[in-house]
Amino acid sequence: MKFISTHFSLLLVLLLFFSLADGYAQYAKLEGIVTDDGIPVPFANIYLKNTTLGTYSDKEGVFSLQDIPMGSHNLMVSMIGYKTFSKVIELRSSETMKLTIRLVVSTEQLEETVVTGTLKAVKRSESPVPVEVYSPTFLKQNPTASIFEALQNVNGVRPQINCNVCNTGDIHINGLEGPYTLVLIDGMPIVSGLGTVYGLSGIPNSLIEQIEIVKGPASSLYGSEAVGGLINIITKNTLEAPDFAADAFLTGWGEYNLDIGAKIYISEKTDVLLGVNYFNYDELIDNNGDNFTDLTLQDRISVFQKWNFQRKDERILSVAGRFFYEDRWGGELQWTPEFRGGDEIYGESIYTRRWEVLGKYQLPVKEKLLLSFSYNDHAQNSAYGYIPYIADQRIGFTQLTWDKKVGNHDVLLGSALRYNYYDDNTTATVIADEVIIPSLFVQDEISLAKKHSLLLGIRYDYDKRHGNIFTPRTAYRWKMSGNDILRLNAGTGFRVVNLFTEEHAALTGARNVIVTEELEPERSFNVNLNYQKKIYTDNGTFATIDASLFYTNFSNAILPDYDIDPNQIIYDNLDGKSVSQGVSANIDVVFPSGFKFLVGATFQDVRQTENGVSSRQILTENYTGTWNVGYNFRRLKLKVDYTGNLYGPMRLPTLGENDPRSDFSPVWSIQNIQFTYKGLDNFEFYGGIKNLLDWTPNRGNPFIIARANDPFDKNVTFDTDGNVVATPNNPNALTFDPSYVYGPNQGIRGFFGVRYQLN
């Protein structure tokens, strides 16, 4: 009994000792605040390395971490957009340790994932095809009502207005005209042909994840129209989209734009992204005094939905749709809808109704088989003065791809089927153009070594009008170092031409369209050498240099000839060559102070040679520059953005030797400034001035629209051959012509907007 009593007493003493030790200074507490140069950083991740202890800062940047074992610990603080903070702390007493943690802004940008160059999701640095990526942040630096306008600050890309009256346009890449650019939504060829004029309007910015641009032919993957380049608008998925977002702005010219985006959970495995865009402009402004609207009046609405379904093994299933309607008109200030289609008061009135559906379905098999599909229906009801233009276009597309890795080969096999239908009321379309084009393509990306990869690809298309069409391409990537990449791309492209995708110069009655022969498909060959370099400095500055040399040679090029006869546009296949060549470079620099800039320049020579005579392509500049400069005043929660572009002279479509308008445009520039305040939770307020220099194309010209006082040519005299005769009231022998256009007529104007986002 004495032995048991002694051991029991010893056990009680030991238990009392450990109990006191446990309650007396074994654990510590850590409190503090996370800041960025004195400004609280909310929701930063705070943890002790190699432990399970962690927390995050609240809206005021404050955090508290309890029950920390005594001793030495490695404190880590991380937050997207900042460098990770690391510090060894010594906890030797039960008193609370208090810290103020200052995070340093990380200038290095997270590497984007791109899909456009190879139809596969890869890191941008790993893609053998150079792909330019632009985020919603880039779009916000100069807010616009459409993607068409937003692209004006992308180097080598220019929105071209094709009509002084109705203000429709297309996108030029490296000096090549709009029909050579294919526009995709989520990788599907939704916007093409007739829809190119209007399809870049009405896509809600709140649902855009990024815009990817490839310069150069991509027909080996995407078929016809991807001759000069392509633009892929990628929408957000539900993980990245906000629960609700709204963006509204107005301008001093009376333009109103509203974007609304929302994420809706239907069930545990089904969610929907909803986007609505509404734009309205109904002011009659004629600052250049020609009795014509300087800006087309517009009333536009677009509704977008994207359904995402969760499936077994994370297989893909999504369906999206968009409806677009627009009523726009421009013309004489006295025009009203009662004059539509008549010859009393001139106006160009366009009703557009368009709907689209697209989707992706990954087959429930072991192999990675993806079925993609899209369909769009575009109805156009237009009146150009007394000339009606009624057109319908329907495009259906389906594609099946098989993605397979075998050793050092990454293979993509695909089959596609495209349905094209086009009909209009013009004499050029005697019967509806309807064709089905089947395609097969294969692509093999080969890892030659750790730093070298080679891509080989070829596509076969069969068009009953033109027979067999083959489009091969190759791409080589050399990762010279961790920060230097050299890419060499070569490939071919083709375009089956549908001439009447709304030729304004003909439909306004100014010129007749003459087609001298049966047009053959255009073919192109392109070589592109791209160099990309990342630079890191000791003070935290991060820079990227991206430079390219490009050369594109077209055969069978179909070009409008405005010069032989001022009353005609003559189309035929070029008996010679058409060449686009040049150099392009971007420099993107981000400083730790909050200052950053993106500057780009392109020098290009775009010309045609026929019968030994070489001439510059009309409406194509020989150099261009763009810039985006921003500074973030963190203490004031204010950001300033200064954006702009500069264009060199371009040859313009004048009406002969007696036309007093300049044959070449001057050097011109559009510049903008914006201030954005982020001082309230979930809100952003922004405002500024667009077109700071108040530049408009009428500078230096006696007029822009020829014979705006006689738009129906009622007082124009013609001789027996159809040529215009000079008369006292028409001394320069001109006809009505609104095709002399190379830039917007909008002058300086202020703007103000509000953004709200709920996550």
Side-chain angles (χ1 to χ4, degrees), residues 173-434:
I173 293 182
N174 286 347
L176 300 177
E177 294 186 331
Y180 298 103
T181 299
L182 179 64
V183 180
L184 312 168
I185 299 179
D186 287 337
M188 291 289 97
I190 286 293
V191 183
S192 59
L194 181 62
T196 302
V197 181
Y198 310 95
L200 284 173
S201 300
I203 300 174
N205 289 340
S206 59
L207 296 185
I208 295 176
E209 173 61 24
Q210 63 189 36
I211 299 175
E212 299 181 8
I213 298 177
V214 174
K215 298 174 181 176
S219 293
S220 62
L221 277 183
Y222 297 97
S224 177
E225 298 174 18
V227 181
L230 59 88
I231 299 171
N232 190 6
I233 301 169
I234 299 174
T235 59
K236 295 181 185 238
N237 60 46
T238 51
L239 294 176
E240 299 161 332
D243 291 331
F244 178 80
D247 185 348
F249 74 83
L250 57 88
T251 75
W253 271 50
E255 300 162 282
Y256 298 90
N257 187 77
L258 174 64
D259 266 341
I260 294 177
K263 179 166 56 179
I264 305 169
Y265 291 99
I266 304 299
S267 67
E268 184 179 347
K269 295 185 177 182
T270 306
D271 49 66
V272 181
L273 291 180
L274 172 66
V276 179
N277 169 257
Y278 177 71
F279 176 79
N280 180 268
Y281 171 72
D282 60 1
E283 298 290 330
L284 292 173
I285 296 179
D286 178 27
N287 288 338
N288 59 20
D290 60 4
N291 195 45
F292 271 69
T293 53
D294 288 348
L295 180 66
T296 305
L297 281 70
Q298 302 167 56
D299 191 21
R300 177 176 71 236
I301 188 167
S302 174
V303 180
F304 176 89
Q305 274 196 353
K306 183 177 180 181
W307 291 68
N308 295 281
F309 303 90
Q310 294 185 23
R311 298 174 60 210
K312 185 180 179 182
D313 299 325
E314 298 184 349
R315 293 192 178 99
I316 299 170
L317 175 56
S318 67
V319 180
R322 183 170 74 120
F323 175 79
F324 173 94
Y325 179 79
E326 182 182 67
D327 176 1
R328 68 162 62 202
W329 77 269
E332 294 185 274
L333 302 181
Q334 298 78 20
W335 189 90
T336 60
E338 291 77 24
F339 296 104
R340 191 177 198 267
D343 63 355
E344 186 177 350
I345 303 295
Y346 188 88
E348 297 186 1
S349 172
I350 303 171
Y351 302 146
T352 303
R353 191 267 307 146
R354 176 182 178 87
W355 61 270
E356 308 157 351
V357 61
L358 62 154
K360 295 182 179 181
Y361 174 73
Q362 187 175 347
L363 273 61
V365 294
K366 182 179 180 181
E367 298 293 335
K368 193 174 182 180
L369 292 168
L370 182 65
L371 177 67
S372 305
F373 60 89
S374 67
Y375 184 83
N376 69 76
D377 185 295
H378 186 111
Q380 194 76 31
N381 184 329
S382 308
Y384 297 88
Y386 61 83
I387 299 177
Y389 176 73
I390 312 298
D392 288 290
Q393 178 176 275
R394 295 187 282 274
I395 298 177
F397 181 83
T398 182
Q399 177 175 275
L400 179 65
T401 57
W402 178 30
D403 187 357
K404 181 72 173 179
K405 289 188 177 182
V406 182
N408 64 335
H409 295 263
D410 193 348
V411 181
L412 181 73
L413 297 173
S415 175
L417 192 67
R418 178 168 175 148
Y419 168 76
N420 282 355
Y421 174 88
Y422 176 81
D423 191 20
D424 66 29
N425 65 318
T426 68
T427 56
T429 309
V430 179
I431 60 173
D433 182 16
E434 189 172 19

Side-chain angles (χ1 to χ4, degrees), residues 1-12:
M1 289 293 294
K2 183 177 180 181
F3 174 80
I4 295 175
S5 176
T6 301
H7 280 76
F8 181 73
S9 300
L10 180 60
L11 180 61
L12 287 177

Side-chain angles (χ1 to χ4, degrees), residues 292 332 346 706-716 729-730 734-737:
F292 271 69
E332 294 185 274
Y346 188 88
R707 291 195 63 77
N709 62 324
D710 184 20
F712 296 102
D713 289 339
K714 293 181 179 180
N715 297 313
V716 176
N729 71 351
N730 188 15
L734 304 178
T735 57
F736 175 66
D737 178 29

